[in-house]
Each structure stands twice: as structure tokens, then as C-alpha cells.
Amino acid sequence: MHILAFLIRRAAQAMVVMFVISIIGFSIQDNLGDPLRELVGQSVSEAEREALRDELGLNDPFLVQYARFLGNAVQGDLGTSYFFKRPAIEVILDKFPATFELVLGAVFIFVSVSIPAGIYCAIHRDSWLSRIIMTGSIVGISIPVFLTAIFMVWLFGVELGWLPAFGRGDTVTLPWGWDTGFLTWDGISHLILPSITLSSIMLPLFIRLIRAEMLEAMGTDYVRFARAKGLSTWRVRYVHAFRNTLLPVVTVGGLMIGTLIAYTILTETVFQWPGMGFLFLEAVNRVDTPLIIAYIIVVGLIFVVVNTIVDFIYTLINPMVKLPGAKG
Amino acid sequence: MISFSAFVKRFFSDPVAIGAGVVLLVLVLMAVLAPLIAPQNPYDPLQLDIMDSEMPPSWKPGGDDRFLLGTDAQGRGVLSTIMYGTGISLLIGVGAVIVQAVLGITLGLIAGYKGGWIDSFLMRLADIQLSLSTLMMAIIALALFQAAFDANTYADYAIIMLIMVIGIAEWPKFARTVRSSVLGEKKKEYVDAARVIGLPARRIMWGHILPNTLTPVLVISTIQVAEAIMIEASLSFLGLGMPTDRPSLGSLIRSGFEFIFSGSWWITLYPALVLIALVLSLNLLGDWLRDVLNPKLRRGED
């Protein structure tokens, strides 16, 4: 019953966000450049233009045009890219695996570093290593991601020459058309620098968050009781205390999705990673309107889907679960 | 709250605060006085000579005493471009935070004081806007702005657009902070007293409650300026911010980036160091202010 209410509320919210995005997409399509010029060039007479405008439906009332745009969008038709001469949605989705694997690599690094580091800083709060980590994290917050990226390229790519710094390397096409870089050493070595860069912006924030939450959890009554009951230190720390730090971490993680997508644009630009963000910037420079719209809509969808998943995980790991939207 | 003299005393007993304060002061002075003290006006074509291009810093072989930190591809002194660029970065950072503060304080006061559906609506809006990410919204807004106008119009309005976009995107942070202070203040007796003598709601909100909510506003302002400067730098680095003929620190780094691999590292390195110093000193001061003025506030929470 509650699950149903939750789902309905979530779906309503997702629809509001997607509605706003579709309005933005539509108004761009209508106002950025003249679609006729893109289609026929300068040499067509004014009368022919007017006829073509009618035929294309450019003279229809606003609502009719918007309904047509929405109908096409729902069927996955977001127009044809001016530059690639292919459906915009296809061009974007071709680049999706590259961005997805970059994010996956970053999340892997970031989870395997921030959790141990955060817990360590909470348990040994006065050791010299914790102090270094805590000081390093405020310096880390102050370094913009594109500078980290440039530094990585310069140090490991150019000066030391240890790792490739541009592009994606060799990829293998999986049966369902997904290009993966995970299956060749060349692909993995290309992934290392960009994913370290992408994870580096989230790291300081999450180390601090996990440390703060862990410190708070260790001072609560139930942890003291668990200790008094004679449970081992290990069990108290990692099963009882740590479990409760996960809630705020998941919440903040959900809030960071949009930021993470924005940072993929910066990371991909520096490393010339052939993903969606890099493609988007190229589309902006070429005023490739259908591609810009397609990117915004795909990113909006990803945002809505991930946020819903995060909300679900949240309700799963919260022992005092109360689904939002199921008040009373 | 602590008294002003105690505040000054704590500042001068904290080496980190002094260090950050000095760095910030030097950078701000450097930026404000740039037209007077910069060795060169890098945006006056008459003072540029293409023969001076890509010179290394003056202590390196091939360097020139006129250009302490070397020159870029157009023969502009890197030191001079940094001085002017820091000014533009600071102008946008402070301008955006003023917009955020005006919007956020107004809406936060209304939400906290009026309550009811206005409050729920504004806070719901704030939640959605915060989860969308400022950088992402700014990238999309400026990409559209750039695609919609020609290069000259864009260059003329870039600074205003950046201030407005970063300002509007971040109002929820101020609104939430002000609202939670207002909720605390509203129950106090002085507000009841003001209401009983018949003062209008607007007067109570702005004249009586607002002054008591300004401490947390001051704390977040410092960190917000640092964040706004970072966002502006990221946008300019992507080519969506300040144009290269009126560069901020971010656009300087962008135009230097392509020369790193031909060995001209100084065009990128020095603006990058100044950017980090600027943001770091603001962040450290913000953290210090928070610890001193309001120990309950924590970064990333409200």
C-alpha cells in the first residue's frame, strides 16, 4: 500500500521534471536558428519558403507544435543531428557506454577509498594520518576538477609517460552493441586517469561526511549498549555503527548525481574521452540544436531514474523505514 | 555571539586564519589595483608585440625582465593577465553571491515568517533546484545562451549572464539558512511584542527578525563566493563563460591548456595556482568563521 503511494508520488515528480525539460527542449528547437535555413539553404524564394513552412507545420499554433514535438519525443524521435546527419538520439546513445564506464570506474575508486578513509579518520581521530587526510580534503575541495585533470594529463601522461591520457583506447563491441573498454588492457589503462580525476571531487566531501556520521554513531546509546553486551569491537564498529552512516551517505550521493554528470563534461573535455559530455560541448560549438536537445533530455531521464533508485535504496537500508509520500 | 574584540583576538591567534586572510587580501588588492600596478595593460593592442609571444618566466633562459611570469601566445604578460583576470573572477563571484543573498534572504524570510503553503512550496522548489546541481544548470543555460546569440552579443553580456545564472541557481542555500533562523527567532518575545504593538509584518520581518539571522548568512557567504568562483572558472574553461578577450582565471587556463604540451607550461600554471589560492583562502576563512560564529553549522548540511 505504502509502496504504491510512494511510486505514484515519485512518478508524478518525475513527470514534472520531464515536463519542464520537454518545454525547454521544445522552445530551443523553435528559437535556435531557423530550421528552414538548415534544410534548404539561402537560394529558395520567399513563396517556396512559406509553402515549405506550412508543409512542415511551422505555422501551426504553439500547442499543436508542442504536442507534435512531445509525440515524436516519446517515440524516441528527437530530430536529426545537423552535423552527423543521423537521428540525434542514436548519436547520443552511441556515446552512452563511454560515459557510463567512466562513471563506473570513478564510483569504484571513490567507494573503495572514501569508506576506509572516512572510518579510519573517525576511529583514529587524532593520529597524524587522519590529520593529513582531513587537511588534504579541504585542499581537495578547493581544486576545480579541470585542474586535477590537467595535472593528471601533464604528470602521468606527458612528463612520466606512464599512462595514456587521451581517448578511450581499444574497445570490444559486445553482442548487444555496447562498446566496452573493460575487456582490454589498453581500454582499462585509458580509463585510469579520467576515473581518478572524476572520483577526486567527490572524495573529500564523502570522507568528511563518513567521518562525521561515524563519530556521531559511535557516541549513540545503541553502540554503547552493543559494547556493553560484550560484542567484539570489530562487530560494533563495522556492523552497528557503520550501517547507520550509510543513510546520509546515500542521501548526499543522490543529491550529487546532477553534479557528477556536470563533472563528466569537464573530465571528458580534458581527456578527450569520447562520451556524451564531450559530444554535448561539440554540439554547442556547432549549434547542433537537435543534439543539444537530445543530450538535455537523456541527461534528464538519467537524473530522474537514478534519483528514484537512490530513494529505493534509502528505504531498503533504513531500519526505521518510512516511505516519503506515505505520511500518516 | 562573541564580541568584536574577542573575534579579532581569535583571528590573530589562529595561524591558518591569518595566512588565509593575508593571501586573500593580497589577491584582492592585486585585482582592484590592476590598472595602476600591472606592468602592462594586456588588453590594449598598442602595448602588445607578437615578437614577445610565449616567453618563459624571466629567470629562465630566454626570459625577459619585462615579463616576470612569461608571456602567452599573443605576447601578453602572464602576470598582467592574472591581475586583470582575478578581478573578473572576483567580480563574478561576489556579484553572483549578492544575487543569491538578495533572492535567498527574501524568499527565506517569507517562507519562515509566513509558513503554510508558501513555505512548503518554496522549500519544495529549493529541494528540486538543489538536486539539479548548479553547475549542470549553468552549463545548459549558458550553452543555450551561446547558441542563441552571435559571438559579439555573447561577449558583451557574458559577465551579466554568469552572475545571474550562478546567482539564481544557488538561492536555496541562503533561503534554507535564513528560514531556519527565522523559525527560531519567530517564537521569541520581541517578535510577539512587535506584533502586539501593531507593526506590519513586513516591518517585523525586515527590521526585527532579519538582523538576528545575519550571522549564518555571513558564514555561508564566504564559502558561496568560493563556490561561485569555482563554477565560473569551470564554465569559462569549457568555453561557456568569459570570452578570451576579457578573460577570467578560468578562461586564462583554457587558453593556456593547448600550450602545455608544447612546453609553455607557465601560461596555465600561474593562473591555476592563483585560482586555487583564491578559492582555498576563501574556504579556509569560511570554515574558520563558521567555527567561531556558529559551531552548530556544518558544511553540506543546513
Side-chain angles (χ1 to χ4, degrees):
Chain A
M1 201 45 208
H2 284 183
I3 295 275
L4 194 66
F6 168 74
L7 276 181
I8 291 171
R9 190 184 162 119
R10 215 64 191 76
Q13 236 175 59
M15 271 161 73
V16 170
V17 173
M18 287 317 290
F19 173 71
V20 172
I21 292 174
S22 76
I23 291 277
I24 295 172
F26 174 66
S27 41
I28 304 166
Q29 187 193 38
D30 225 24
N31 295 318
L32 280 194
D34 178 6
L36 272 193
R37 197 182 57 214
E38 307 291 345
L39 281 173
V40 298
Q42 303 287 345
S43 60
V44 180
S45 78
E46 199 50 45
E48 282 174 286
R49 276 168 190 275
E50 209 38 50
L52 203 54
R53 282 192 152 270
D54 269 340
E55 197 180 312
L56 289 170
L58 294 173
N59 290 336
D60 289 349
F62 178 84
L63 273 179
V64 176
Q65 290 198 44
Y66 176 67
R68 193 184 304 128
F69 170 82
L70 210 58
N72 289 340
V74 168
Q75 292 164 39
D77 177 6
L78 297 173
T80 305
S81 158
Y82 300 148
F83 181 78
F84 293 96
K85 311 282 180 217
R86 283 170 52 209
I89 190 82
E90 255 181 62
V91 179
I92 289 279
L93 291 180
D94 273 358
K95 303 286 184 184
F96 179 73
T99 300
F100 184 77
E101 290 187 354
L102 172 63
V103 171
L104 214 59
V107 169
F108 174 76
I109 295 172
F110 143 80
V111 168
S112 49
V113 174
S114 68
I115 292 178
I119 295 180
Y120 177 87
C121 289
I123 293 175
H124 308 278
R125 51 187 303 196
D126 292 319
S127 80
W128 59 271
L129 185 59
S130 324
R131 278 171 203 218
I132 291 180
I133 295 177
M134 293 311 288
T135 314
S137 73
I138 187 145
V139 177
I141 285 178
S142 308
I143 301 180
V145 65
F146 61 91
L147 285 183
T148 318
I150 293 175
F151 178 73
M152 291 277 180
V153 170
W154 173 77
L155 183 64
F156 296 106
V158 180
E159 286 296 304
L160 298 171
W162 288 354
L163 287 163
F166 293 110
R168 222 184 148 200
D170 292 338
T171 55
V172 177
T173 308
L174 297 175
W176 58 91
W178 179 287
D179 277 331
T180 178
F182 285 151
L183 295 176
T184 62
W185 167 241
D186 191 49
I188 293 177
S189 67
H190 276 81
L191 188 65
I192 296 176
L193 292 182
S195 41
I196 292 178
T197 304
L198 189 56
S199 66
S200 71
I201 8 136
M202 303 286 186
L203 268 178
L205 194 73
F206 277 81
I207 291 178
R208 289 177 147 232
L209 181 68
I210 292 173
R211 173 182 171 274
E213 293 299 330
M214 190 77 181
L215 277 177
E216 203 175 314
M218 306 258 284
T220 54
D221 283 342
Y222 76 89
V223 166
R224 260 182 274 145
F225 275 120
R227 209 172 269 156
K229 222 167 83 179
L231 294 182
S232 71
T233 318
W234 187 90
R235 213 183 143 74
V236 172
R237 276 179 190 169
Y238 300 105
V239 178
H240 293 253
F242 178 64
R243 195 187 146 102
N244 265 44
T245 66
L246 284 177
L247 286 176
V249 170
V250 169
T251 316
V252 176
L255 281 176
M256 298 288 283
I257 299 298
T259 314
L260 189 69
I261 297 174
Y263 284 140
T264 61
I265 301 179
L266 284 157
T267 311
E268 288 178 5
T269 306
V270 176
F271 290 99
Q272 293 175 23
W273 187 261
M276 299 196 301
F278 191 46
L279 181 79
F280 172 66
L281 266 195
E282 284 182 325
V284 170
N285 291 331
R286 294 178 186 133
V287 200
D288 195 341
T289 318
L291 213 49
I292 298 177
I293 299 174
Y295 178 81
I296 296 175
I297 288 183
V298 167
V299 162
L301 266 178
I302 294 174
F303 174 81
V304 166
V305 168
V306 173
N307 262 311
T308 312
I309 295 175
V310 167
D311 270 9
F312 259 120
I313 297 178
Y314 185 82
T315 58
L316 283 182
I317 58 177
N318 190 349
M320 305 182 292
V321 57
K322 182 164 181 259
L323 289 166
K327 281 178 197 150
Chain B
M1 268 314 272
I2 62 171
S3 71
F4 184 71
S5 62
F7 179 80
V8 173
K9 206 171 155 193
R10 277 196 71 169
F11 183 82
F12 284 105
S13 62
D14 187 336
V16 175
I18 297 175
V22 168
V23 169
L24 186 63
L25 189 68
V26 168
L27 290 175
V28 170
L29 284 179
M30 191 182 90
V32 173
L33 301 177
L36 301 174
I37 59 171
Q40 178 200 28
N41 178 359
Y43 307 110
D44 176 4
L46 293 174
Q47 295 188 31
L48 299 182
D49 185 349
I50 198 72
M51 297 303 288
D52 291 336
S53 69
E54 288 194 62
M55 279 186 184
S58 59
W59 61 88
K60 294 267 176 192
D64 188 312
D65 283 343
R66 286 178 298 151
F67 304 111
L68 182 64
L69 300 179
T71 60
D72 69 4
Q74 274 91 45
R76 298 188 285 225
V78 170
L79 180 62
S80 309
T81 56
I82 288 177
M83 287 177 151
Y84 281 85
T86 308
I88 294 185
S89 287
L90 273 169
L91 177 67
I92 295 174
V94 173
V97 171
I98 291 174
V99 175
Q100 291 169 20
V102 169
L103 268 177
I105 291 174
T106 311
L107 295 175
L109 264 180
I110 295 173
Y113 189 77
K114 299 268 177 185
W117 69 268
I118 301 181
D119 184 28
S120 344
F121 173 75
L122 286 174
M123 288 304 113
R124 197 89 204 105
L125 194 67
D127 284 348
I128 294 177
Q129 220 179 323
L130 275 184
S131 75
L132 285 176
S133 150
T134 305
L135 187 56
M136 195 67 227
M137 283 199 288
I139 287 176
I140 290 177
L142 285 154
L144 298 181
F145 177 60
Q146 197 171 55
F149 295 97
D150 62 283
N152 288 331
T153 321
Y154 178 79
D156 288 346
Y157 292 103
I159 210 164
I160 297 171
M161 272 305 285
L162 284 163
I163 290 176
M164 291 313 288
V165 167
I166 302 173
I168 292 171
E170 290 262 305
W171 69 267
K173 296 214 175 129
F174 279 91
R176 283 179 164 193
T177 311
V178 170
R179 173 180 173 270
S180 61
S181 313
V182 171
L183 290 181
E185 294 295 320
K186 211 164 78 169
K187 297 187 200 91
K188 295 193 179 161
E189 282 173 355
Y190 75 92
V191 177
D192 285 337
R195 210 175 285 149
V196 167
I197 60 171
L199 290 182
R202 185 183 300 167
R203 181 95 186 266
I204 300 177
M205 274 176 5
W206 291 95
H208 295 255
I209 297 182
L210 181 65
N212 289 307
T213 63
L214 286 182
T215 313
V217 166
L218 183 68
V219 172
I220 56 171
S221 298
T222 320
I223 291 170
Q224 286 299 105
V225 172
E227 187 150 337
I229 289 176
M230 277 247 260
I231 291 172
E232 187 282 329
S234 303
L235 290 166
S236 292
F237 179 74
L238 289 175
L240 299 173
M242 292 305 289
T244 39
D245 57 349
R246 232 191 135 194
S248 65
L249 291 171
S251 5
L252 289 176
I253 295 167
R254 172 186 168 82
S255 49
F257 178 48
E258 52 185 305
F259 295 99
I260 292 186
F261 308 105
S262 58
S264 306
W265 46 268
W266 55 89
I267 310 176
T268 311
L269 180 68
Y270 296 119
L273 290 179
V274 171
L275 176 63
I276 295 174
L278 187 60
V279 174
L280 184 60
S281 59
L282 282 164
N283 272 336
L284 286 171
L285 280 179
D287 272 13
W288 179 83
L289 271 180
R290 184 198 58 202
D291 289 345
V292 173
L293 295 178
N294 196 344
K296 278 186 202 148
L297 270 180
R298 281 215 312 248
R299 192 188 195 103
E301 294 165 37
D302 294 293

